[in-house]
Amino acid sequence: MRAARIHQFGPPEVIVVEDVTRPVPAAGELLVRVVAAGVGPWDALIREGKSKVSPPPRLTLGSDLAGAVEAAGPEVTEFKKGDVVYGVTNPQFCGACAEYAITRAKMVARKPHGLSEIEAASIPVVAVTAWQMLFEYAHAEPGQRVMILGAAGNVGAYAVQLAANAALHVTAIVSAKDMDYVRKLGAESVVDSERGEFEDSVPAVDIVIDTVGGETRQRSYAALKAGGTLASVVSTDFAPPRADVRSVFFYVDVSNERLKIISELFDQGKLLPQVGTVLPLEEVRMAHRMLAGAPHERGKIVLDLARSD
Ligand SMILES: NC(=O)c1ccc[n+]([C@@H]2O[C@H](COP(=O)([O-])OP(=O)(O)OC[C@H]3O[C@@H](n4cnc5c(N)ncnc54)[C@H](OP(=O)(O)O)[C@@H]3O)[C@@H](O)[C@H]2O)c1
């Protein structure tokens, strides 16, 4: 089977699409015939050797996927051959960009009914991250105010939709080109991040959702109410400038239970998938160049395993 792999850390050019042996599922695992695989910033960190959770090369890239169960390993009771699932491969975020992938059965769920596999593969890591930030780490409640840094990004767009659905008041911090986009997703107020002192022009918030880091995150503390929470998924190495607020960092835990909650919201029409550029597996290097800034459509980059150009 074909797989997008690295034999050493480095730039997108280290990625090779090569033939490897089809894996066999062990206990608690599924072999999935991959129809589509998502590509996200953490894949670039793995390729560059900067991930704290992935193994050393040789490895197959990719974690988000959607496809059909080809075989279930021992002790798997919830899925059988032919079920169409979406989710992630494993806690090391590796192995999805291939014609067949092994997933932990506990890290996938049945694909939402109304979505294609391309749409479904765009969802797991970013939607579950946004869910966990808001409701598990920041304990968001209806009526609270939340500021979302990077609200037009893939995690941010779900954070806006999930927060608006839960009757939170959303302030989105985005660059000027994305202001209309996040209003349509449900943001009540929108601030241009490139305008100076954005933190002074917004009402005080209960929660900051950080998908950007750096100076933007440090400045956002000025808008946080005493007792408020800043939830970040960007980097652990930051020093909160205030002692009267809570700061949390975490790695996403994509689970069957959380995916079922997300699926239900899609089934109810309360979430919309945000698919950007779709490429065949052979263009995986281009997908990684896009992560580094090469032009691409807004939304999630997805590899279409059924297409070969
Ligand atoms: N810890 C975890 O488990 C976990 C899970 C998921 C994601 N993450 C991390 O979370 C981050 C976001 O992921 P993603 O998939 O959402 O990335 P993404 O789709 O690239 O989104 C990032 C967004 O931030 C915007 N942005 C950059 N600088 C900004 C600024 N100063 N002010 C406002 N917006 C700004 C970007 O806008 P432009 O396009 O205009 O630059 C883009 O819309 C990444 O670092 C990723 O690795 C971590």
Side-chain angles (χ1 to χ4, degrees):
M1 67 167 197
R2 290 175 306 145
R5 291 170 58 78
I6 58 169
H7 292 209
Q8 67 204 70
F9 294 128
E13 290 63 39
V14 300
I15 307 172
V16 288
V17 176
E18 61 186 3
D19 278 321
V20 291
T21 309
R22 189 194 292 187
V24 176
E29 293 181 343
L30 301 172
L31 177 69
V32 174
R33 183 172 54 75
V34 181
V35 177
V39 178
W42 53 93
D43 295 315
L45 295 178
I46 290 171
R47 191 201 69 230
E48 291 166 351
K50 294 179 183 161
S51 165
K52 292 190 176 144
V53 294
S54 66
R58 302 175 175 184
L59 62 87
T60 298
L61 292 166
S63 56
D64 283 315
L65 56 73
V69 174
E70 182 71 18
E75 296 166 29
V76 175
T77 52
E78 192 165 347
F79 301 102
K80 59 180 186 326
K81 184 174 164 118
D83 288 342
V84 181
V85 297
Y86 79 130
V88 300
T89 47
N90 51 51
Q92 290 76 43
F93 296 90
C94 293
C97 293
E99 288 175 307
Y100 291 87
I102 296 290
T103 72
R104 301 262 179 100
K106 290 188 167 151
M107 299 183 83
V108 299
R110 281 186 177 66
K111 177 178 76 63
H113 303 299
L115 300 187
S116 68
E117 281 87 347
I118 298 280
E119 290 169 327
S122 75
I123 295 166
V125 166
V126 292
V128 173
T129 299
W131 174 270
Q132 287 195 272
M133 286 178 105
L134 282 166
F135 303 115
E136 297 182 15
Y137 287 90
H139 308 293
E141 298 282 350
Q144 287 188 317
R145 290 190 178 278
V146 57
M147 181 195 284
I148 300 174
L149 311 179
N154 287 304
V155 175
Y158 280 108
V160 174
Q161 294 182 82
L162 289 166
N165 280 332
L168 284 111
H169 302 285
V170 177
T171 297
I173 311 296
V174 293
S175 54
K177 69 181 184 343
D178 293 322
M179 293 176 84
D180 283 344
Y181 172 65
V182 292
R183 269 192 203 100
K184 285 184 189 137
L185 293 175
E188 254 177 49
S189 64
V190 182
V191 180
D192 179 354
S193 58
E194 285 142 25
R195 216 181 62 188
E197 315 300 314
F198 72 83
E199 63 277 25
D200 297 333
S201 59
V202 297
V205 296
D206 303 281
I207 295 166
V208 173
I209 294 296
D210 170 41
T211 75
V212 172
E215 192 204 331
T216 306
R217 172 172 54 203
Q218 289 306 100
R219 285 168 52 186
S220 73
Y221 276 103
L224 201 49
K225 290 179 191 171
T229 299
L230 180 142
S232 179
V233 286
V234 182
S235 60
T236 47
D237 57 349
F238 61 103
R242 287 171 55 182
D244 62 341
V245 295
R246 202 167 66 93
S247 303
V248 288
F249 169 88
F250 68 98
Y251 289 107
V252 65
D253 179 4
V254 178
S255 66
N256 176 265
E257 293 77 18
R258 295 187 180 99
L259 287 169
K260 281 179 177 166
I261 295 170
I262 299 295
S263 293
E264 211 173 305
L265 291 168
F266 276 104
D267 290 345
Q268 293 167 354
K270 292 183 175 168
L271 287 178
L272 291 174
Q274 311 294 325
V275 176
T277 300
V278 180
L279 295 166
L281 180 64
E282 284 66 26
E283 301 255 7
V284 58
R285 285 184 183 176
M286 177 51 76
H288 276 242
R289 287 185 199 116
M290 291 173 175
L291 293 175
H296 59 96
E297 289 166 49
R298 180 168 48 213
K300 185 85 185 166
I301 301 165
V302 179
L303 297 175
D304 179 353
L305 275 290
R307 188 175 129 195
S308 81
D309 286 359

